[in-house]
Amino acid sequence: MNVCDDEPAAGSIWVPAFCRAVGAPSPTAGGDRQPWARGADNRHARDRLKWTPERPSWRTGFTDL
């Protein structure tokens, strides 16, 4: 299971932001998304496991690095 925050985003959005936050170079484009690729969801973890993310957004999490 992939668990995420409350603002799931495509890798093309969050990976460059993460790279900036940690001072790493952004990767080059890797091609089209595969038809089997899927996003992540935290609904199961929230509903069944009573889990909540430490930070509601990857955006705030990256700025806290």
Side-chain angles (χ1 to χ4, degrees):
M1 171 188 341
N2 292 326
V3 178
C4 61
D5 61 18
D6 293 337
E7 285 187 48
S12 61
I13 305 282
W14 72 263
V15 170
F18 175 77
C19 290
R20 283 190 302 276
V22 298
S26 289
T28 57
D32 294 332
R33 181 179 174 148
Q34 299 297 319
W36 47 262
R38 59 180 169 72
D41 191 340
N42 66 22
R43 190 173 353 167
H44 176 79
R46 280 183 175 277
D47 294 347
R48 300 231 177 159
L49 305 175
K50 305 304 179 205
W51 172 86
T52 56
E54 186 175 319
R55 293 175 180 87
S57 168
W58 58 271
R59 289 171 172 80
T60 58
F62 289 170
T63 59
D64 291 347
L65 286 176

